Amino acid sequence: MKAPTTILGTRLLRLIKDKGTSMRKVSLDAGLSESGVKHIIYGSSVSPRMSTLERIASVLGVSVAEIVGEQSFSAAEPMPLLRVPVIGKVQAGVWQDALEVPFAERYAISIPNVGDYPGLPRYGLKVVGDSMNRVFPEGTIVIVINFYDLARPPRHGEYVVAERRSPGSDCFEATVKAVQIRDDGRIFLWPKSTDPNFQAPIEVDNGGWEDGDGWGVPDVIIKGLVVAVYQVPTLATF
């Protein structure tokens, strides 16, 4: 099953599961089309109106704040959007030679301006490859905040962008993975893939997160936290 495309979608899906109901039932009970909630969770409806969220919250027996976070919006206005620059590609499987692309090749996408870490700079990276296809199918855009700006290390279970210096040059390579922190403190970066070729983790030195001090840089640095995802609709296959 594909992942929600926004933090709002992730919260809404979690609430629906916690209530033991379904997207279709919540949609119909809220007076929406039977796929209305699904469109919000998976990104077809990127700016749901406050009145829509209020109806969904009423059906679930929660507050709107539990769905969108501690935000407040006018009931007559659509949810505000945030423009996020997509600055490059990140390889899911093997290391990508370059994290960023030339400015002329960059573009921006609009995502709901809700969720955690308000005010922190973020950027988008397009996922290439299949090693994360259980959560990030190829073509997904992951929205990233650097750990330098978060001022904390990664946590167990988070999805992150990692970098390493290219063995053959001074350039950096990047990949996206899931973080596992074991009881003994060892850190591993795992693929999440249906492809049997992508099942092995990468072990990271305990100091291998981006603290910005520039000293004692390990082979692999956990650079940024994936805080949201955006999926561009594609043509169906038969």
Side-chain angles (χ1 to χ4, degrees):
M1 179 179 293
K2 65 180 180 179
T5 55
T6 64
I7 291 177
L8 182 151
T10 300
R11 284 186 172 133
L12 181 53
L13 182 60
R14 183 174 64 246
L15 287 168
I16 289 171
K17 289 181 177 180
D18 288 346
K19 298 294 181 177
T21 185
S22 67
M23 291 182 282
R24 181 178 183 275
K25 187 176 188 324
V26 173
S27 296
L28 295 176
D29 289 350
L32 307 175
S33 69
E34 66 176 28
S35 58
V37 168
K38 181 178 180 180
H39 290 327
I40 294 172
I41 290 174
Y42 293 114
S44 300
S45 176
V46 296
S47 57
R49 291 185 178 276
M50 187 63 175
S51 57
T52 298
L53 294 176
E54 287 173 341
R55 295 202 298 272
I56 293 172
S58 178
V59 169
L60 292 172
V62 300
S63 67
V64 174
E66 289 179 77
I67 299 175
V68 302
E70 297 300 326
Q71 307 282 339
S72 61
F73 310 106
S74 166
E77 295 295 329
M79 188 177 297
L81 297 178
L82 178 68
R83 295 284 284 174
V84 176
V86 179
I87 65 170
K89 299 178 181 180
V90 63
Q91 187 79 19
V94 296
W95 294 93
Q96 170 82 13
D97 282 343
L99 176 64
E100 299 188 13
V101 297
F103 280 96
E105 298 178 23
R106 299 182 184 185
Y107 56 95
I109 60 173
S110 296
I111 62 173
N113 188 16
V114 298
D116 301 322
Y117 317 115
L120 292 183
R122 58 202 70 201
Y123 54 90
L125 297 170
K126 187 175 182 179
V127 175
V128 178
D130 292 329
S131 85
M132 295 296 287
N133 64 0
R134 285 171 51 193
V135 286
F136 306 139
E138 186 168 22
T140 297
I141 296 172
V142 292
I143 310 302
V144 182
I145 296 177
N146 286 338
F147 280 106
Y148 176 81
D149 294 310
L150 291 167
R152 69 162 176 85
R155 297 167 183 162
H156 179 80
E158 290 181 327
Y159 295 104
V160 298
V161 172
E163 286 186 353
R164 73 173 182 181
R165 191 177 296 279
S166 173
S169 71
D170 290 333
C171 298
F172 282 93
E173 304 170 325
T175 189
V176 60
K177 291 288 183 287
V179 174
Q180 179 193 38
I181 302 177
R182 297 185 179 176
D183 293 340
D184 60 4
R186 296 167 68 196
I187 301 172
F188 293 85
L189 302 180
W190 282 89
K192 294 290 183 179
S193 178
T194 59
D195 188 332
N197 292 317
F198 300 123
Q199 301 297 323
I202 301 167
E203 186 169 4
V204 182
D205 293 340
N206 285 349
W209 67 283
E210 179 57 69
D211 59 8
D213 63 10
W215 294 97
V217 176
D219 291 337
V220 177
I221 299 173
I222 301 177
K223 182 75 174 180
L225 172 68
V226 175
V227 296
V229 296
Y230 176 83
Q231 289 176 289
V232 179
T234 58
L235 294 176
T237 57
F238 301 95

